[in-house]
Amino acid sequence: MFVKLQLDAHCFNILSSPKTSPVTGASVSTNTGVSLSPLEKIETVKKHKEQSLLEIPNRRTPKKFSTDHKPGFNNIPDREPRNNSRNSTRIENKKSFGVDFKKFNGNGSVDKARTKCSTKWAYYGGCIPSILEALDTIKDLDEALKPWEDTLSNKERSIILKEQSSWERAMEIFEWFKRKGCYELNVIHYNIMLRILGRARNWSHVEFLCNEMRIKQILPVNSTYGTLIDVYSKGGLKKEALHWLEKMNDQGMVPDEVTMGIVIQMYKKAGEFQKAEEFFKKWTLGESIKHEGTSKASAGVQDGVRVSVSLSSYTYNTLIDTYGKAGQLKEASETFAKMLREGIVPTTVTFNTMIHICGNHGQLEEVGSLIQKMEELRCPPDTRTYNILISLHAKHDNITMAASYFKRMKEARLMPDHVSYRTLLYAFSIRHMVSDAEDLVSEMDEKGLDIDEYTQSALTRMYIEAGMLEKSWLWFRKFHLTGNMSSECYSASIDAYGERGHILEAEKVFMSCQEVKMLTVLVLNVMVKAYGLAQKYDKACKLFDSMESHGVVPDRCSYSSIIQILAGADLPDKAKHYLKKMQEAGLVSDCISYCAVISSFVKLGKLEMAEGLYNEMIGFDVKPDVIVYGVLINAFADAGSVKEALGYVDAMKRAGLPGNTVIYNSLIKLYTKVGYLKEAEETYQLLQSSDSGPDAYSSNCMIDLYSEQSMVKQAEKIFESLKKKGNTNEFTFAMMLCMYKRLGRFEEATQIAKQMRDLGILTDLLSYNNVLGLYALDGRFKEAVGTFKEMVEASVQPDDCTFKSLGIVLVKCGISKKAVSKLEATTKNDYQKGLQAWMLSLSTVADVDDDYDE
């Protein structure tokens, strides 16, 4: 199962600063783990000029930490906020590459007006900041680039293109380079343009540049294909992305680690986790993978294994995140363990991903182990780390620990973000922790942080559910008066009040929404629902009917809601009216609303109306589902209408719909009423083969059928099966007792009666009468009298059947039939007086029986 994280931190080379990530520069995404492609992480070149600015080496020689301080959850060093600029990847050569800008302008004269360059691009050094400043302020390219026209290097041209914020400007500069004819435009420049145009979803220009490369015989490299796969997959064009992967394979080119990571990201984004895993495995084995699944051996492979595969931490992060999103905890932990064995130092991203995966699978012990490893490896947690921990502990109902991590995040001098506050506020609100939530809101106000609509709605609901109605209204009113609430937020507030039965407050929110002219179909639907919950059916109908006067057209949800409300309130005739309007509006796409109204008619015993509505539904070519058939079959089964019930069974079979346990139970009930043993047995076998198996009701019906046919062994088999499963009830025992009694097997019947009393399930009048009848027939007068007294003490009122059995007892004990008839007459005239007379007579008999026994 899960790989335990028992690791030795001393076996790793650790980077020189807690702020420094490994060479990949991977950062935390807004979701779990890695989401950006490797190409987006690269800012500089460390190898040959011919290599793309967009490629990265697999590994960088790691440095060691100073041991002066130990960052971690419990001991976070003082530090400045992290710098996300390109300082770590700035261009090393800071000499000017072109004409001295301070000495010459385009006319060769001194230009003192531009002696100071903008600091926006200062990290590049050299003349690059001046060039970019000129391009940013001067539209004409000839004028902007005049001072450096003859001296621009390949590297400078690459940076110029890459720094353009507009694809139109980048394309204009690229075409200017081509027009001049004196510049070499190599594959690096085309890669940059392909990425810029791909991000802008300008596919026609992307295709044009690809054709231009082919015509000019500029051969694509690994990063070219990686760029194309990346931009097409992120643009939602997976088919085109796979086309470029196939083209790459056709060229006999083996994807490098960066391209491999892009392909995995593509599959992960599409939710095709198995394909991502298969691609990585084949890539690791050195196979050239086509998306159809065919493969062939690639260069750089010996005995089916890629030579010297050394993965970066970014790739490991991607793989771990992919396994995590696929729910493959075991594979994710194994990949993490392999990463550690190979000496790759995990980044904060790695730990965040692993913590999130383990926490989502309830592995909180492993979460603790991961936190400990972060401290041992001096890998500092970031805001995302704490957000994950807050969320996980809140999810597992440890709100104290969640709040403590929020506190520790601030102690570590990390600034909580909106996610931090929102997660904790929601956790407080659903637990009605009003004071803690209010403290957090005050803190947000002090920091000038806006409260989003989701949080605002959650706190409104918190006050309502905590019984603080006035505060809930003040809280809502505060945001309403700002004028920034959306219709969704008004809907959420109406729903919160409506679900708790505060219909007046719900109406006030509705009117507030109406004041600011934010009424939408959603707001009206929720208000209709609130009236339904408050059983204000007339108001619900009135509001629905007024929708169009508010400029809102009812949608499918509107009709479904009002129909369900009225059908559930036993008002099927009114519901049918709205169902007709829904049909006229062309909004009926399934049988759900028909089913609700049919069920309501059935509940009221109006089977003709239910059947008529069914026929209407068929006439409109609305296909009934198994639930509709189940309702009708059960209704006619209860009514004993065999022909109609079986007619719906046949219709269901013709429609190709499989039966379910509800229908099978209804059929067994029907077959029991009419004594169809064979059909009942066939249906019971279907129940036995279902996942849930037969319930006590169906089994009792079968025992009853077998009892009527004196099929003792079959009845006993079902009885024992029910006892083994613990599914027996009072009626199961009562039917077995009746069967044995009818067959004159009083000993077995008496044992059943004893079991009923021992189990405490002798409670129903019918059961008492069955037991009394048994004792009367078997001459167990003392037990009969005792059972009657027990029955009276349990406040179970005797009926005629009860007194009939008691009369048999008295007659058998020598009391005349005339005296018994007198007792029966007295009971009919004065129940209480008659009951006392019965008790007195039976007590006398019981005393005589006792003397006889002695």
Side-chain angles (χ1 to χ4, degrees), residues 710-729:
S710 299
M711 300 170 69
V712 179
K713 288 185 178 180
Q714 291 84 342
E716 287 177 337
K717 183 179 178 181
I718 294 177
F719 179 63
E720 292 301 325
S721 175
L722 286 174
K723 283 207 297 183
K724 188 176 180 180
K725 294 177 182 176
N727 288 341
T728 54
N729 57 29

Side-chain angles (χ1 to χ4, degrees), residues 57 104 111 113 143 178 180 227 254 256 366 374 376 396 431 438 488 511 562 569 613 621 713 727 750 752-753 775 778:
F104 301 100
D111 187 354
E143 181 183 350
K178 287 196 288 185
K180 287 299 176 182
T227 298
V254 182
D256 60 12
E366 304 305 333
M374 287 188 82
E376 291 176 8
H396 288 88
R431 291 166 177 81
E438 288 178 339
E488 287 80 7
M511 288 186 287
I562 191 70
L613 197 56
D621 198 29
K713 288 185 178 180
N727 288 341
T750 303
I752 293 292
Y775 290 151
D778 196 27

Side-chain angles (χ1 to χ4, degrees), residues 576-766:
K576 185 181 176 183
H577 164 72
Y578 289 103
L579 180 59
K580 183 181 178 182
K581 293 184 70 174
M582 184 181 185
Q583 185 71 56
E584 291 170 352
L587 295 174
V588 177
S589 60
D590 53 45
C591 65
I592 294 174
S593 295
Y594 274 101
C595 185
V597 184
I598 288 171
S599 298
S600 187
F601 278 127
V602 165
K603 184 181 176 183
L604 297 177
K606 297 182 178 181
L607 298 189
E608 287 185 10
M609 295 294 291
E611 201 164 17
L613 197 56
Y614 167 82
N615 292 328
E616 178 187 305
M617 178 177 66
I618 298 298
F620 282 118
D621 198 29
V622 177
K623 306 297 182 186
D625 62 9
V626 71
I627 299 175
V628 172
Y629 283 117
V631 169
L632 291 168
I633 291 168
N634 189 63
F636 285 104
D638 282 338
S641 303
V642 180
K643 183 180 176 182
E644 289 81 358
L646 294 179
Y648 287 113
V649 172
D650 292 337
M652 185 181 73
K653 289 178 179 177
R654 287 195 301 272
L657 295 171
N660 58 25
T661 55
V662 175
I663 290 175
Y664 296 149
N665 286 329
S666 297
L667 287 174
I668 288 176
K669 176 168 57 176
L670 173 65
Y671 294 143
T672 302
K673 282 187 176 183
V674 296
Y676 286 11
L677 178 60
K678 182 182 176 182
E679 290 80 356
E681 285 182 321
E682 290 173 352
T683 308
Y684 192 72
Q685 286 175 0
L686 292 173
L687 272 175
Q688 286 177 315
S689 62
S690 67
D691 293 336
S692 56
D695 59 11
Y697 182 85
S698 298
S699 299
N700 290 345
C701 287
M702 291 305 300
I703 291 173
D704 189 30
L705 274 173
Y706 285 132
S707 174
E708 291 292 332
Q709 300 292 327
S710 299
M711 300 170 69
V712 179
K713 288 185 178 180
Q714 291 84 342
E716 287 177 337
K717 183 179 178 181
I718 294 177
F719 179 63
E720 292 301 325
S721 175
L722 286 174
K723 283 207 297 183
K724 188 176 180 180
K725 294 177 182 176
N727 288 341
T728 54
N729 57 29
E730 182 174 357
F731 302 104
T732 313
F733 282 92
M735 278 183 289
M736 290 299 294
L737 186 148
C738 288
M739 181 183 71
Y740 288 130
K741 183 178 71 172
R742 186 167 56 250
L743 296 173
R745 296 170 62 167
F746 297 134
E747 186 176 343
E748 289 95 330
T750 303
Q751 285 298 318
I752 293 292
K754 184 178 184 302
Q755 291 178 42
M756 291 179 74
R757 184 170 275 104
D758 292 343
L759 292 170
I761 57 174
L762 186 59
T763 59
D764 186 78
L765 174 62
L766 181 61

Side-chain angles (χ1 to χ4, degrees), residues 360-630:
N360 279 345
H361 285 81
Q363 301 282 349
L364 295 185
E365 287 185 15
E366 304 305 333
V367 169
S369 176
L370 286 163
I371 293 170
Q372 185 179 349
K373 287 302 140 189
M374 287 188 82
E375 295 177 3
E376 291 176 8
L377 297 176
R378 301 185 179 94
C379 182
D382 58 9
T383 301
R384 169 82 178 144
T385 315
Y386 283 105
N387 286 349
I388 293 169
L389 290 166
I390 292 168
S391 177
L392 289 178
H393 286 288
K395 179 182 174 182
H396 288 88
D397 207 26
N398 192 341
I399 192 64
T400 304
M401 186 63 75
S404 73
Y405 275 117
F406 183 80
K407 182 181 178 182
R408 288 162 73 177
M409 173 167 48
K410 292 188 288 186
E411 289 172 353
R413 299 189 179 182
L414 289 170
M415 184 69 69
D417 58 15
H418 274 90
V419 175
S420 317
Y421 284 104
R422 186 184 303 136
T423 304
L424 198 55
L425 263 177
Y426 181 74
F428 285 150
S429 69
I430 62 174
R431 291 166 177 81
H432 305 161
M433 298 172 66
V434 177
S435 178
D436 298 273
E438 288 178 339
D439 289 344
L440 215 53
V441 169
S442 298
E443 188 176 316
M444 291 179 73
D445 288 340
E446 289 173 6
K447 294 180 181 295
L449 295 173
D450 293 330
I451 294 175
D452 63 285
E453 289 189 340
Y454 179 83
T455 307
Q456 185 265 316
S457 300
L459 265 71
T460 299
R461 187 175 289 272
M462 174 192 71
Y463 284 124
I464 294 169
E465 293 179 350
M468 304 172 74
L469 212 57
E470 186 177 352
K471 270 199 171 184
S472 73
W473 177 251
L474 292 173
W475 177 258
F476 163 79
R477 190 75 178 162
K478 171 185 174 182
F479 289 89
H480 165 66
L481 293 175
T482 63
N484 296 323
M485 286 179 68
S486 68
S487 59
E488 287 80 7
C489 198
Y490 284 106
S491 301
S493 297
I494 293 170
D495 196 45
Y497 282 116
E499 285 186 350
R500 287 288 173 173
H502 302 299
I503 194 64
L504 293 178
E505 286 73 18
E507 287 177 325
K508 285 166 67 178
V509 175
F510 179 79
M511 288 186 287
S512 299
C513 183
Q514 197 171 4
E515 286 173 11
V516 295
K517 299 180 180 179
M518 294 289 287
L519 287 182
T520 63
V521 68
L522 175 62
V523 174
L524 287 157
N525 287 350
V526 173
M527 193 63 227
V528 167
K529 173 190 169 186
Y531 281 133
L533 291 172
Q535 299 180 5
K536 305 283 186 181
Y537 306 120
D538 289 340
K539 283 192 171 185
C541 294
K542 185 178 179 181
L543 181 60
F544 183 93
D545 295 337
S546 71
M547 277 192 177
E548 292 187 6
S549 67
H550 290 297
V552 175
V553 178
D555 61 6
R556 182 178 287 105
C557 183
S558 310
Y559 282 106
S560 297
S561 181
I562 191 70
I563 290 167
Q564 293 284 347
I565 287 169
L566 296 172
D570 296 338
L571 298 169
D573 292 298
K574 280 191 174 183
K576 185 181 176 183
H577 164 72
Y578 289 103
L579 180 59
K580 183 181 178 182
K581 293 184 70 174
M582 184 181 185
Q583 185 71 56
E584 291 170 352
L587 295 174
V588 177
S589 60
D590 53 45
C591 65
I592 294 174
S593 295
Y594 274 101
C595 185
V597 184
I598 288 171
S599 298
S600 187
F601 278 127
V602 165
K603 184 181 176 183
L604 297 177
K606 297 182 178 181
L607 298 189
E608 287 185 10
M609 295 294 291
E611 201 164 17
L613 197 56
Y614 167 82
N615 292 328
E616 178 187 305
M617 178 177 66
I618 298 298
F620 282 118
D621 198 29
V622 177
K623 306 297 182 186
D625 62 9
V626 71
I627 299 175
V628 172
Y629 283 117

